[in-house]
Amino acid sequence: MNQAASKRISDLLQPKINRQFLYYLDICTRCGICKDACHVYASTKDASLMPPQRIRLLRKLYQQQTNPLTRLLSLQDKNPLDEEAVYDELYRMAYTCTGCRRCMVYCPFGIDISWITGIEKALLVALKKIPSELDMLANVALEKSQGLKGYHDSAAKQITTSLEPQLRRICGQQDATIPIGVAGARILYVSLAGIDSILLPALIFNQAGESWTLSQYEAYNYGFMAGDTPRAIKIADRIVQEAKDLGVEEVVITECGHGFRIMKHLFPVWTNQKLPFKVKSVFNTWNDYILDHRLAWNSARITDPVTYHDPCQMGRNGGIFEEPRNILKKIVPDFREMTPNREENWCCGGGGGLIAQRNLTDYREKTGLMKVKQIQATGAKIVATPCGICRQQLTFLNQRYNLGIRVASVAELLVRAMFPADALSDFYPERASL
Amino acid sequence: MLIYYLLSVVLLYLSLVCLFGGFTWRLYLWNQTGLSAMRLGYFPKPRKQIRPIRIFADTVFFTQLTKINPVFWFMVILFHISLLLVFTGHLLLLIPFPGMLESEFNNHTNLFGLVVGTIWAITVVYMLLRRFTQPIKQLSEFGDYFILCILLGVIISGISVRWCGNLTYYRIFAHNITHPHALITVLASSPRIFSVHIILASVLFIYCPFSKLVHVIGTFLTNTIRRK
């Protein structure tokens, strides 16, 4: 690459450099242990996508500006990379990494490859070279909050006319509601956009007698997926402002790995503020309900063996391991652990925004092989996982590999254990019982 | 020939300046750059009381490698133990082994040094051969091969030095590190392989702070981040 282009990238990179970045670039010995920890390499044996390869080009670009020896050697390079080729390569390295950080668990130095690919993404955002799907989805999320009244009215109408009647039919409580915008509620529940993510938790909150209100926003954050921190902050901030306006004690994030991770661990650091409310995952809340005997269920309602997939963002990167397991072990007679599990669990291959990128469908099929083998080894018929992206990816892998499994959220299994099959037959007409 | 010995000594002094100065400079450069406020470790996080123990264990034993590649883990551990023992052996040139006669000590270290040196050489050959096979070959850069080749040269010449020369002279060399005339005298009186050993080790020390060998000072720091 010519010096002018190299300088251009270096200038864009400079504000994003921090001490961790330098540690990771300088200390990596290229021992290759991480390749066997990475689901991409382990599944495909594509050496060009080994974790150290993802940071190789950025290291070279950085050292060309900072290391006199590297700069001298680069001047001798008879075939310097074309600038666009550099961007293409950075794009490929950054946007095919799910950011699962399994490589970090096994690296003898604890090098966080996803930290570097995150910086690569930030660089590409500055160069306006991000996947169009992620760009569009992040913009849509922000647009929603601009036209909130219209969205609110439409969503409120759907909740009142469609979801609340279903809620009452299932639970048999005529006063059961899905409250929206209730000031002074104890918890603000942040769902995803799907009906499942609203109705199923509503059933659980109602049975537990919780004081709750539904957020007008969703937990999903395409700004984060794109590696665009300013947009990620804007998207998350809507929820924070809503929680402050309603004066809730807790913000409870639905089954969404990165949504929980952002609100709990990232947003306070990004914005350097202490949030005036607690942030919890639904699993913290539902586990408490079970321990406090606020829910009633019949575990005979779920007969198939169930296994649990730890989503990377919720588990390894979010800290939620035991609560979903505690819930499942209570409601499911035949619970089977995957091996390995918890922080060592294999990534499903759908995270990091990959699920939204149309050109990566075959890539996701191939890189999901380790997860497929893991599931097959359990002999389970149901794979429970909290993360919506994981469910999409696992459903996709189920189809492509003919696994013969069913993928379900933990909320679905809990509700199926709480209510008889005939009560749920309207909601799950295709398969009322498990 | 005198020029040759002079260059060996000059190179040795340069290498010590590069080694200590280079590492200090590297630490300075790192510290000049701010640490991200983000807690970058993964979960589960160790309790505060045992966190230092976990960091120490990660840095020294890195047992997570046994789940991925136990053979590689074993060779790396063996490599570092050998390095530590050889380093200790070099320190004992300066400090006599307590409670033992010099002649007794010399006899013990002859065999011990040979065994440890050979083991160390075997681990280096393993690492080098590994870098000629795919997919590690695709990961490897010039510096990876260079370090291993130089190190192998240092080890082999070191083993030869132990067998061919007089340990008393090496003790004089170690005790007179700040006296170039004495160093040149010892070099002139010792087998040629000793100068080769000094030159190769010096080249390695010069290269150290500008290479991935900074992991010597950086591993503890990154493992601290891992557990944060």
Side-chain angles (χ1 to χ4, degrees):
Chain A
M1 173 174 250
N2 64 58
Q3 279 298 306
S6 183
K7 175 90 178 38
R8 202 164 24 250
I9 291 182
S10 173
D11 288 344
L12 282 172
L13 186 57
Q14 201 54 45
K16 298 168 187 33
I17 291 172
N18 48 45
R19 204 183 301 169
Q20 288 94 327
F21 175 82
L22 297 182
Y23 283 161
Y24 297 148
L25 290 194
D26 290 339
I27 287 166
C28 175
T29 61
R30 295 169 291 285
C31 69
I33 281 291
C34 52
K35 68 173 178 26
D36 296 314
C38 175
H39 64 285
V40 173
Y41 178 78
S43 298
T44 64
K45 305 298 181 207
D46 182 349
S48 71
L49 292 170
M50 291 186 284
Q53 301 289 61
R54 295 191 186 274
I55 66 175
R56 185 182 197 143
L57 180 56
L58 195 64
R59 186 201 291 114
K60 190 173 172 181
L61 293 170
Y62 176 71
Q63 288 179 344
Q64 272 177 356
Q65 292 298 316
T66 57
N67 187 320
L69 184 61
T70 311
R71 196 182 317 179
L72 189 66
L73 287 171
S74 74
L75 290 174
Q76 316 302 320
D77 194 348
K78 296 208 172 13
N79 295 305
L81 271 181
D82 170 69
E83 189 173 350
E84 281 304 312
V86 167
Y87 299 150
D88 289 344
E89 184 61 11
L90 285 175
Y91 182 100
R92 181 170 170 255
M93 292 295 116
Y95 286 110
T96 57
C97 173
T98 60
C100 75
R101 304 207 303 164
R102 195 168 190 268
C103 47
M104 187 186 189
V105 173
Y106 294 95
C107 174
F109 312 109
I111 291 172
D112 185 355
I113 296 284
S114 83
W115 183 251
I116 309 289
T117 58
I119 291 175
E120 288 172 352
K121 283 184 183 178
L123 201 65
L124 290 163
V125 166
L127 292 164
K128 299 194 186 340
K129 291 177 186 300
I130 71 171
S132 56
E133 299 94 333
L134 299 180
D135 192 27
M136 178 198 69
L137 288 163
N139 285 337
V140 164
L142 287 169
E143 278 301 314
K144 243 193 224 175
S145 54
Q146 304 303 323
L148 187 64
K149 178 142 186 9
Y151 165 71
H152 171 81
D153 289 347
S154 148
K157 188 176 175 189
Q158 190 184 14
I159 284 170
T160 312
T161 57
S162 173
L163 291 191
E164 280 184 340
Q166 275 193 302
L167 173 74
R168 289 168 191 144
R169 264 200 304 280
I170 295 171
C171 71
Q173 288 173 244
Q174 295 314 305
D175 58 348
T177 59
I178 300 175
I180 306 177
V182 174
R186 195 181 78 85
I187 68 173
L188 174 69
Y189 167 66
V190 186
S191 70
L192 295 176
I195 291 173
D196 267 32
S197 185
I198 298 172
L199 182 61
L200 300 179
L203 286 163
I204 300 167
F205 289 134
N206 272 287
Q207 191 176 96
E210 183 62 78
S211 159
W212 70 290
T213 186
L214 178 68
S215 172
Q216 297 173 85
Y217 303 103
E218 55 187 349
Y220 211 88
N221 195 317
Y222 282 104
F224 175 74
M225 293 298 172
D228 187 342
T229 305
R231 265 198 291 189
I233 291 172
K234 272 190 197 161
I235 292 170
D237 191 48
R238 305 166 312 165
I239 299 168
V240 172
Q241 293 311 315
E242 185 186 25
K244 285 177 179 173
D245 291 343
L246 295 175
V248 296
E249 284 177 31
E250 293 177 6
V251 169
V252 175
I253 305 292
T254 189
E255 294 183 74
C256 176
H258 77 281
F260 170 70
R261 185 184 175 205
I262 287 169
M263 199 57 66
K264 178 84 177 171
H265 301 297
L266 302 181
F267 185 86
V269 180
W270 283 339
T271 56
N272 194 27
Q273 64 174 290
K274 188 171 156 52
L275 296 175
F277 45 79
K278 289 183 192 161
V279 176
K280 287 190 178 175
S281 159
V282 275
F283 295 114
N284 299 121
T285 308
W286 295 345
N287 192 45
D288 286 343
Y289 291 164
I290 286 182
L291 293 173
D292 294 340
H293 307 288
R294 288 165 71 176
L295 297 177
W297 68 86
N298 181 349
S299 53
R301 290 178 177 141
I302 299 174
T303 52
D304 284 337
V306 174
T307 189
Y308 177 73
H309 161 75
D310 288 283
C312 306
Q313 295 297 342
M314 187 160 266
R316 190 163 40 243
N317 299 335
I320 302 289
F321 292 116
E322 303 309 324
E323 292 86 348
R325 282 178 167 79
N326 292 345
I327 294 167
L328 286 171
K329 285 175 185 173
K330 291 277 190 202
I331 65 174
V332 164
D334 187 354
F335 174 76
R336 302 175 185 189
E337 283 279 13
M338 287 195 198
T339 304
N341 53 61
R342 293 177 173 82
E343 72 272 20
E344 296 186 54
N345 189 37
W346 284 105
C347 176
C348 66
L354 269 66
I355 206 96
Q357 296 178 61
R358 283 164 296 186
N359 61 322
L360 294 181
T361 309
D362 288 341
Y363 176 86
R364 283 192 290 115
E365 178 187 347
K366 290 177 192 151
T367 59
L369 182 60
M370 294 311 293
K371 178 50 68 180
V372 163
K373 287 181 180 176
Q374 224 189 347
I375 293 171
Q376 286 172 327
T378 65
K381 291 293 174 206
I382 301 173
V383 178
T385 187
C387 171
I389 294 172
C390 294
R391 284 201 297 278
Q392 264 188 270
Q393 170 70 353
L394 292 175
T395 303
F396 167 74
L397 292 175
N398 183 37
Q399 287 160 4
R400 288 284 176 112
Y401 287 91
N402 296 315
L403 294 177
I405 58 163
R406 186 146 186 306
V407 181
S409 66
V410 176
E412 180 189 337
L413 295 182
L414 182 52
V415 163
R416 283 185 183 277
M418 285 163 61
F419 300 99
D422 52 6
L424 293 168
S425 57
D426 284 351
F427 190 61
Y428 291 115
E430 76 290 355
R431 192 168 174 176
S433 63
L434 286 175
Chain B
M1 209 34 68
L2 189 64
I3 301 288
Y4 170 71
Y5 296 128
L6 188 63
L7 282 172
S8 304
V9 171
V10 167
L11 203 59
L12 175 64
Y13 286 151
L14 181 65
S15 73
L16 290 173
V17 168
C18 279
L19 183 68
F20 294 108
F23 277 144
T24 307
W25 178 245
R26 180 67 63 168
L27 277 170
Y28 170 76
L29 282 179
W30 285 341
N31 280 323
Q32 282 290 98
T33 313
L35 205 58
S36 167
M38 207 65 76
R39 290 179 80 204
L40 287 180
Y42 56 82
F43 290 87
K45 312 247 185 216
R47 279 180 293 118
K48 222 173 176 180
Q49 297 86 344
I50 64 165
R51 193 167 155 249
I53 301 169
R54 288 305 301 266
I55 294 169
F56 177 79
D58 287 339
T59 305
V60 174
F61 301 116
F62 39 93
T63 52
Q64 68 273 24
L65 266 67
T66 57
K67 298 178 190 176
I68 290 263
N69 192 334
V71 171
F72 180 68
W73 172 83
F74 178 70
M75 293 303 254
V76 171
I77 288 280
L78 212 55
F79 172 95
H80 287 90
I81 290 173
S82 306
L83 166 64
L84 198 60
L85 289 172
V86 167
F87 177 73
T88 309
H90 281 69
L91 277 184
L92 290 171
L93 285 172
L94 287 167
I95 313 154
F97 199 82
M100 201 183 275
L101 288 175
E102 193 175 298
S103 56
E104 266 185 305
F105 177 69
N106 290 350
N107 290 336
H108 285 307
T109 57
N110 250 356
L111 185 60
F112 191 71
L114 173 67
V115 168
V116 171
T118 305
I119 291 171
W120 197 14
I122 290 170
T123 62
V124 173
V125 168
Y126 166 82
M127 288 180 186
L128 196 53
L129 288 177
R130 198 171 166 266
R131 292 210 174 266
F132 285 104
T133 57
Q134 295 290 6
I136 304 295
K137 187 175 175 184
Q138 196 158 336
L139 276 182
S140 303
E141 297 172 4
F142 165 77
D144 301 325
Y145 297 102
F146 179 73
I147 288 169
L148 289 169
C149 289
I150 290 280
L151 186 57
L152 194 59
V154 170
I155 297 168
I156 292 171
S157 61
I159 293 171
S160 309
V161 154
R162 191 67 187 83
W163 279 96
C164 303
N166 190 329
L167 200 58
T168 307
Y169 283 5
Y170 306 143
R171 285 219 172 80
I172 295 169
F173 190 93
H175 281 277
N176 289 280
I177 204 81
T178 54
H179 297 94
H181 286 291
L183 297 184
I184 292 171
T185 308
V186 172
L187 283 170
S189 316
S190 302
R192 193 73 55 83
I193 196 73
F194 185 46
S195 303
V196 172
H197 182 68
I198 296 295
I199 290 169
L200 289 176
S202 300
V203 168
L204 188 61
F205 286 170
I206 291 168
Y207 190 72
C208 246
F210 308 105
S211 69
K212 66 183 188 183
L213 293 178
V214 293
H215 75 265
V216 165
I217 52 169
T219 307
F220 187 78
L221 301 170
T222 51
N223 278 318
T224 302
I225 292 170
R226 181 216 289 268
R227 295 296 178 189
K228 209 172 175 187

